[in-house]
Amino acid sequence: MCGRFVIEISYDELKKVFDLVENQVSQFEPRYNIAPTQLVPVIRNNGEHNSLFLLKWGLIPSWSKDPSISSHLINARSETVAEKPSFRHAIKYNRCIIPMSGFYEWSHTEGAKHPYFIYLADKSPMGVAGIWEHWNAPDGTALETFSVLTTEANKLVSKFHDRMPVILRPDSYGLWLSKNMHDAHALENLYSSYPDSLMAYYEVPNLVNNPRFDSPACIAKV
């Protein structure tokens, strides 16, 4: 599962790593405690180039009559994403990348929850696989939302949870975002767990347990 994450990446670094042009979002502040329902910068391709957009976390399928479904669709299991009615259109036509500096997981010991920050050992940005949808409310208001793809946890993440985000290799960004790729099953080799030897973690303050708290203190080492 992925239920909280961090984006401490400069705009210039995002442009370089993800080859961004003509962005809807030209500036944004670092975020240290991103939670579902919040607006998040994500990367999409329009057939010619990659751009950055702000989307709401928690996918609402285009056909849904009830926007509250989004609270149940913050993650999509990569093993079944091509078959689930809520996701099968998006995985074919609406894929995106969610940039992350890392994500949080919790251990449960002695009746208490202890948060940990999990990141790439070389501290490079994660490019996490996502899917998005465009939804129109009954009053005509348009909303774009997304879900994070998950896969089986590697050895490191499995200390905390049996699922983890699908972290893409940089050489697969182009394929994942391609507007010409509509074969969902051809993407399945991208869903393998990221090698645990390339990741690291440490305990952080329980400040992160409150989604209203967003500060660099969230990722301070305990």
Side-chain angles (χ1 to χ4, degrees), residues 5 12 36-37 45 57 60 62 76 80 84 103-104 109 119 132 136 138 180 186 205 215 218:
F5 64 92
D12 288 340
T37 75
N45 183 278
W57 188 8
I60 306 175
S62 60
T80 58
K84 295 290 185 180
F103 58 94
Y104 297 106
T109 57
Y119 59 101
W132 66 275
N136 289 315
N180 297 317
S215 158
C218 290

PDB file of all heavy atoms in Angstrom, residues 5 12 36-37 45 57 60 62 76 80 84 103-104 109 119 132 136 138 180 186 205 215 218:
ATOM      1  N   PHE A   5       3.171  10.125   1.259  1.00  0.00           N
ATOM      2  CA  PHE A   5       4.502  10.227   0.658  1.00  0.00           C
ATOM      3  C   PHE A   5       5.029  11.652   0.660  1.00  0.00           C
ATOM      4  O   PHE A   5       4.357  12.590   1.107  1.00  0.00           O
ATOM      5  CB  PHE A   5       4.519   9.621  -0.751  1.00  0.00           C
ATOM      6  CG  PHE A   5       3.661  10.301  -1.787  1.00  0.00           C
ATOM      7  CD1 PHE A   5       4.178  11.302  -2.592  1.00  0.00           C
ATOM      8  CD2 PHE A   5       2.344   9.910  -1.988  1.00  0.00           C
ATOM      9  CE1 PHE A   5       3.403  11.907  -3.564  1.00  0.00           C
ATOM     10  CE2 PHE A   5       1.559  10.499  -2.966  1.00  0.00           C
ATOM     11  CZ  PHE A   5       2.088  11.515  -3.766  1.00  0.00           C
ATOM     12  N   ASP A  12      13.341  22.376 -11.086  1.00  0.00           N
ATOM     13  CA  ASP A  12      14.382  22.191 -12.105  1.00  0.00           C
ATOM     14  C   ASP A  12      14.823  20.731 -12.192  1.00  0.00           C
ATOM     15  O   ASP A  12      15.080  20.218 -13.292  1.00  0.00           O
ATOM     16  CB  ASP A  12      15.594  23.080 -11.803  1.00  0.00           C
ATOM     17  CG  ASP A  12      15.308  24.557 -12.058  1.00  0.00           C
ATOM     18  OD1 ASP A  12      14.341  24.841 -12.803  1.00  0.00           O
ATOM     19  OD2 ASP A  12      16.035  25.411 -11.521  1.00  0.00           O
ATOM     20  N   PRO A  36      -4.064  11.172   0.815  1.00  0.00           N
ATOM     21  CA  PRO A  36      -5.179  11.073  -0.131  1.00  0.00           C
ATOM     22  C   PRO A  36      -6.122  12.270  -0.025  1.00  0.00           C
ATOM     23  O   PRO A  36      -6.269  12.868   1.042  1.00  0.00           O
ATOM     24  CB  PRO A  36      -5.873   9.774   0.284  1.00  0.00           C
ATOM     25  CG  PRO A  36      -4.773   8.944   0.877  1.00  0.00           C
ATOM     26  CD  PRO A  36      -3.893   9.929   1.604  1.00  0.00           C
ATOM     27  N   THR A  37      -6.750  12.598  -1.142  1.00  0.00           N
ATOM     28  CA  THR A  37      -7.673  13.714  -1.379  1.00  0.00           C
ATOM     29  C   THR A  37      -6.947  15.015  -1.683  1.00  0.00           C
ATOM     30  O   THR A  37      -7.576  15.987  -2.107  1.00  0.00           O
ATOM     31  CB  THR A  37      -8.673  13.975  -0.231  1.00  0.00           C
ATOM     32  OG1 THR A  37      -8.008  14.611   0.864  1.00  0.00           O
ATOM     33  CG2 THR A  37      -9.338  12.681   0.231  1.00  0.00           C
ATOM     34  N   ASN A  45       1.873  12.464 -20.524  1.00  0.00           N
ATOM     35  CA  ASN A  45       2.365  12.721 -21.877  1.00  0.00           C
ATOM     36  C   ASN A  45       1.170  12.980 -22.791  1.00  0.00           C
ATOM     37  O   ASN A  45       0.169  12.272 -22.722  1.00  0.00           O
ATOM     38  CB  ASN A  45       3.178  11.528 -22.376  1.00  0.00           C
ATOM     39  CG  ASN A  45       3.779  11.780 -23.744  1.00  0.00           C
ATOM     40  OD1 ASN A  45       3.114  11.628 -24.761  1.00  0.00           O
ATOM     41  ND2 ASN A  45       5.033  12.165 -23.770  1.00  0.00           N
ATOM     42  N   TRP A  57      -5.530  13.051  -5.443  1.00  0.00           N
ATOM     43  CA  TRP A  57      -5.205  11.662  -5.130  1.00  0.00           C
ATOM     44  C   TRP A  57      -6.445  10.922  -4.649  1.00  0.00           C
ATOM     45  O   TRP A  57      -7.027  11.248  -3.620  1.00  0.00           O
ATOM     46  CB  TRP A  57      -4.113  11.611  -4.077  1.00  0.00           C
ATOM     47  CG  TRP A  57      -3.570  10.235  -3.822  1.00  0.00           C
ATOM     48  CD1 TRP A  57      -3.834   9.099  -4.510  1.00  0.00           C
ATOM     49  CD2 TRP A  57      -2.663   9.862  -2.787  1.00  0.00           C
ATOM     50  NE1 TRP A  57      -3.147   8.039  -3.997  1.00  0.00           N
ATOM     51  CE2 TRP A  57      -2.416   8.472  -2.924  1.00  0.00           C
ATOM     52  CE3 TRP A  57      -2.028  10.566  -1.768  1.00  0.00           C
ATOM     53  CZ2 TRP A  57      -1.567   7.793  -2.067  1.00  0.00           C
ATOM     54  CZ3 TRP A  57      -1.179   9.886  -0.918  1.00  0.00           C
ATOM     55  CH2 TRP A  57      -0.945   8.507  -1.070  1.00  0.00           C
ATOM     56  N   ILE A  60     -11.439   8.669  -9.382  1.00  0.00           N
ATOM     57  CA  ILE A  60     -12.877   8.573  -9.633  1.00  0.00           C
ATOM     58  C   ILE A  60     -13.047   8.143 -11.092  1.00  0.00           C
ATOM     59  O   ILE A  60     -12.703   8.904 -11.996  1.00  0.00           O
ATOM     60  CB  ILE A  60     -13.599   9.908  -9.411  1.00  0.00           C
ATOM     61  CG1 ILE A  60     -13.307  10.471  -8.013  1.00  0.00           C
ATOM     62  CG2 ILE A  60     -15.105   9.731  -9.605  1.00  0.00           C
ATOM     63  CD1 ILE A  60     -13.889  11.849  -7.784  1.00  0.00           C
ATOM     64  N   SER A  62     -14.486   7.644 -14.765  1.00  0.00           N
ATOM     65  CA  SER A  62     -15.284   8.604 -15.526  1.00  0.00           C
ATOM     66  C   SER A  62     -16.770   8.302 -15.474  1.00  0.00           C
ATOM     67  O   SER A  62     -17.610   9.202 -15.570  1.00  0.00           O
ATOM     68  CB  SER A  62     -14.811   8.626 -16.985  1.00  0.00           C
ATOM     69  OG  SER A  62     -14.963   7.347 -17.572  1.00  0.00           O
ATOM     70  N   ALA A  76      -4.022   0.978  -6.735  1.00  0.00           N
ATOM     71  CA  ALA A  76      -4.520  -0.030  -7.669  1.00  0.00           C
ATOM     72  C   ALA A  76      -3.512  -1.175  -7.705  1.00  0.00           C
ATOM     73  O   ALA A  76      -2.318  -0.939  -7.936  1.00  0.00           O
ATOM     74  CB  ALA A  76      -4.699   0.557  -9.067  1.00  0.00           C
ATOM     75  N   THR A  80      -4.062  -6.913 -10.900  1.00  0.00           N
ATOM     76  CA  THR A  80      -5.459  -6.973 -11.361  1.00  0.00           C
ATOM     77  C   THR A  80      -5.926  -5.686 -12.031  1.00  0.00           C
ATOM     78  O   THR A  80      -7.099  -5.561 -12.386  1.00  0.00           O
ATOM     79  CB  THR A  80      -6.398  -7.288 -10.183  1.00  0.00           C
ATOM     80  OG1 THR A  80      -6.234  -6.284  -9.161  1.00  0.00           O
ATOM     81  CG2 THR A  80      -6.091  -8.652  -9.582  1.00  0.00           C
ATOM     82  N   LYS A  84      -9.978  -4.854 -13.450  1.00  0.00           N
ATOM     83  CA  LYS A  84     -10.935  -4.158 -12.598  1.00  0.00           C
ATOM     84  C   LYS A  84     -11.678  -3.066 -13.373  1.00  0.00           C
ATOM     85  O   LYS A  84     -11.046  -2.239 -14.042  1.00  0.00           O
ATOM     86  CB  LYS A  84     -10.218  -3.522 -11.400  1.00  0.00           C
ATOM     87  CG  LYS A  84      -9.593  -4.514 -10.430  1.00  0.00           C
ATOM     88  CD  LYS A  84     -10.657  -5.272  -9.655  1.00  0.00           C
ATOM     89  CE  LYS A  84     -10.029  -6.170  -8.593  1.00  0.00           C
ATOM     90  NZ  LYS A  84     -11.036  -6.913  -7.830  1.00  0.00           N
ATOM     91  N   PHE A 103       8.347   7.416   0.566  1.00  0.00           N
ATOM     92  CA  PHE A 103       7.011   7.211   1.113  1.00  0.00           C
ATOM     93  C   PHE A 103       7.126   6.690   2.541  1.00  0.00           C
ATOM     94  O   PHE A 103       8.205   6.267   2.991  1.00  0.00           O
ATOM     95  CB  PHE A 103       6.200   6.251   0.240  1.00  0.00           C
ATOM     96  CG  PHE A 103       6.822   4.895   0.039  1.00  0.00           C
ATOM     97  CD1 PHE A 103       6.486   3.829   0.859  1.00  0.00           C
ATOM     98  CD2 PHE A 103       7.739   4.683  -0.981  1.00  0.00           C
ATOM     99  CE1 PHE A 103       7.052   2.572   0.674  1.00  0.00           C
ATOM    100  CE2 PHE A 103       8.314   3.427  -1.180  1.00  0.00           C
ATOM    101  CZ  PHE A 103       7.978   2.380  -0.351  1.00  0.00           C
ATOM    102  N   TYR A 104       6.016   6.723   3.253  1.00  0.00           N
ATOM    103  CA  TYR A 104       5.988   6.304   4.655  1.00  0.00           C
ATOM    104  C   TYR A 104       5.305   4.943   4.802  1.00  0.00           C
ATOM    105  O   TYR A 104       4.363   4.622   4.085  1.00  0.00           O
ATOM    106  CB  TYR A 104       5.215   7.312   5.505  1.00  0.00           C
ATOM    107  CG  TYR A 104       5.817   8.691   5.567  1.00  0.00           C
ATOM    108  CD1 TYR A 104       5.237   9.749   4.875  1.00  0.00           C
ATOM    109  CD2 TYR A 104       6.953   8.952   6.320  1.00  0.00           C
ATOM    110  CE1 TYR A 104       5.771  11.029   4.947  1.00  0.00           C
ATOM    111  CE2 TYR A 104       7.496  10.225   6.401  1.00  0.00           C
ATOM    112  CZ  TYR A 104       6.898  11.265   5.702  1.00  0.00           C
ATOM    113  OH  TYR A 104       7.422  12.533   5.763  1.00  0.00           O
ATOM    114  N   THR A 109       4.208  -1.968  17.056  1.00  0.00           N
ATOM    115  CA  THR A 109       4.836  -2.683  18.166  1.00  0.00           C
ATOM    116  C   THR A 109       4.363  -2.106  19.488  1.00  0.00           C
ATOM    117  O   THR A 109       4.203  -0.886  19.636  1.00  0.00           O
ATOM    118  CB  THR A 109       6.378  -2.574  18.102  1.00  0.00           C
ATOM    119  OG1 THR A 109       6.751  -1.185  18.092  1.00  0.00           O
ATOM    120  CG2 THR A 109       6.914  -3.255  16.845  1.00  0.00           C
ATOM    121  N   TYR A 119      13.063   5.316   1.043  1.00  0.00           N
ATOM    122  CA  TYR A 119      13.533   6.109  -0.094  1.00  0.00           C
ATOM    123  C   TYR A 119      14.590   5.330  -0.863  1.00  0.00           C
ATOM    124  O   TYR A 119      15.032   4.253  -0.434  1.00  0.00           O
ATOM    125  CB  TYR A 119      14.102   7.442   0.412  1.00  0.00           C
ATOM    126  CG  TYR A 119      15.254   7.284   1.384  1.00  0.00           C
ATOM    127  CD1 TYR A 119      16.577   7.462   0.971  1.00  0.00           C
ATOM    128  CD2 TYR A 119      15.027   6.943   2.724  1.00  0.00           C
ATOM    129  CE1 TYR A 119      17.631   7.316   1.868  1.00  0.00           C
ATOM    130  CE2 TYR A 119      16.075   6.798   3.617  1.00  0.00           C
ATOM    131  CZ  TYR A 119      17.375   6.986   3.184  1.00  0.00           C
ATOM    132  OH  TYR A 119      18.414   6.830   4.056  1.00  0.00           O
ATOM    133  N   TRP A 132      -4.753   7.703 -14.160  1.00  0.00           N
ATOM    134  CA  TRP A 132      -5.601   8.851 -13.867  1.00  0.00           C
ATOM    135  C   TRP A 132      -6.889   8.787 -14.686  1.00  0.00           C
ATOM    136  O   TRP A 132      -6.991   8.052 -15.661  1.00  0.00           O
ATOM    137  CB  TRP A 132      -4.862  10.161 -14.137  1.00  0.00           C
ATOM    138  CG  TRP A 132      -4.526  10.390 -15.592  1.00  0.00           C
ATOM    139  CD1 TRP A 132      -3.438   9.924 -16.271  1.00  0.00           C
ATOM    140  CD2 TRP A 132      -5.298  11.135 -16.540  1.00  0.00           C
ATOM    141  NE1 TRP A 132      -3.473  10.328 -17.590  1.00  0.00           N
ATOM    142  CE2 TRP A 132      -4.612  11.081 -17.783  1.00  0.00           C
ATOM    143  CE3 TRP A 132      -6.501  11.839 -16.466  1.00  0.00           C
ATOM    144  CZ2 TRP A 132      -5.096  11.706 -18.925  1.00  0.00           C
ATOM    145  CZ3 TRP A 132      -6.983  12.463 -17.613  1.00  0.00           C
ATOM    146  CH2 TRP A 132      -6.278  12.399 -18.816  1.00  0.00           C
ATOM    147  N   ASN A 136     -16.574  14.181 -14.626  1.00  0.00           N
ATOM    148  CA  ASN A 136     -17.445  15.353 -14.637  1.00  0.00           C
ATOM    149  C   ASN A 136     -18.534  15.206 -13.585  1.00  0.00           C
ATOM    150  O   ASN A 136     -19.300  14.241 -13.608  1.00  0.00           O
ATOM    151  CB  ASN A 136     -18.082  15.533 -16.012  1.00  0.00           C
ATOM    152  CG  ASN A 136     -17.078  15.974 -17.056  1.00  0.00           C
ATOM    153  OD1 ASN A 136     -16.268  16.871 -16.809  1.00  0.00           O
ATOM    154  ND2 ASN A 136     -17.127  15.363 -18.228  1.00  0.00           N
ATOM    155  N   PRO A 138     -22.085  16.216 -11.636  1.00  0.00           N
ATOM    156  CA  PRO A 138     -23.411  16.536 -12.178  1.00  0.00           C
ATOM    157  C   PRO A 138     -23.584  18.006 -12.544  1.00  0.00           C
ATOM    158  O   PRO A 138     -24.342  18.336 -13.454  1.00  0.00           O
ATOM    159  CB  PRO A 138     -24.354  16.130 -11.044  1.00  0.00           C
ATOM    160  CG  PRO A 138     -23.612  15.040 -10.327  1.00  0.00           C
ATOM    161  CD  PRO A 138     -22.170  15.441 -10.393  1.00  0.00           C
ATOM    162  N   ASN A 180       0.840   5.632 -27.375  1.00  0.00           N
ATOM    163  CA  ASN A 180       0.636   4.611 -28.412  1.00  0.00           C
ATOM    164  C   ASN A 180       0.573   3.196 -27.839  1.00  0.00           C
ATOM    165  O   ASN A 180       0.346   2.246 -28.584  1.00  0.00           O
ATOM    166  CB  ASN A 180       1.753   4.694 -29.453  1.00  0.00           C
ATOM    167  CG  ASN A 180       1.756   6.014 -30.183  1.00  0.00           C
ATOM    168  OD1 ASN A 180       0.706   6.520 -30.565  1.00  0.00           O
ATOM    169  ND2 ASN A 180       2.935   6.597 -30.356  1.00  0.00           N
ATOM    170  N   ALA A 186       1.121  -5.954 -21.866  1.00  0.00           N
ATOM    171  CA  ALA A 186       2.503  -5.763 -22.306  1.00  0.00           C
ATOM    172  C   ALA A 186       3.310  -4.940 -21.306  1.00  0.00           C
ATOM    173  O   ALA A 186       4.534  -4.879 -21.397  1.00  0.00           O
ATOM    174  CB  ALA A 186       2.529  -5.097 -23.678  1.00  0.00           C
ATOM    175  N   PRO A 205       9.654  10.996  13.217  1.00  0.00           N
ATOM    176  CA  PRO A 205       8.742  11.346  14.308  1.00  0.00           C
ATOM    177  C   PRO A 205       7.294  11.006  13.972  1.00  0.00           C
ATOM    178  O   PRO A 205       6.902  10.995  12.801  1.00  0.00           O
ATOM    179  CB  PRO A 205       8.920  12.862  14.446  1.00  0.00           C
ATOM    180  CG  PRO A 205      10.223  13.161  13.797  1.00  0.00           C
ATOM    181  CD  PRO A 205      10.379  12.167  12.699  1.00  0.00           C
ATOM    182  N   SER A 215       5.783  19.426   7.132  1.00  0.00           N
ATOM    183  CA  SER A 215       6.990  20.167   7.471  1.00  0.00           C
ATOM    184  C   SER A 215       8.199  19.266   7.273  1.00  0.00           C
ATOM    185  O   SER A 215       8.074  18.038   7.346  1.00  0.00           O
ATOM    186  CB  SER A 215       6.909  20.632   8.928  1.00  0.00           C
ATOM    187  OG  SER A 215       8.192  20.899   9.463  1.00  0.00           O
ATOM    188  N   CYS A 218       8.881  16.190   9.411  1.00  0.00           N
ATOM    189  CA  CYS A 218       8.284  14.866   9.180  1.00  0.00           C
ATOM    190  C   CYS A 218       9.330  13.829   8.796  1.00  0.00           C
ATOM    191  O   CYS A 218       9.150  12.639   9.065  1.00  0.00           O
ATOM    192  CB  CYS A 218       7.212  14.947   8.098  1.00  0.00           C
ATOM    193  SG  CYS A 218       5.714  15.835   8.568  1.00  0.00           S
TER     194      CYS A 218
END
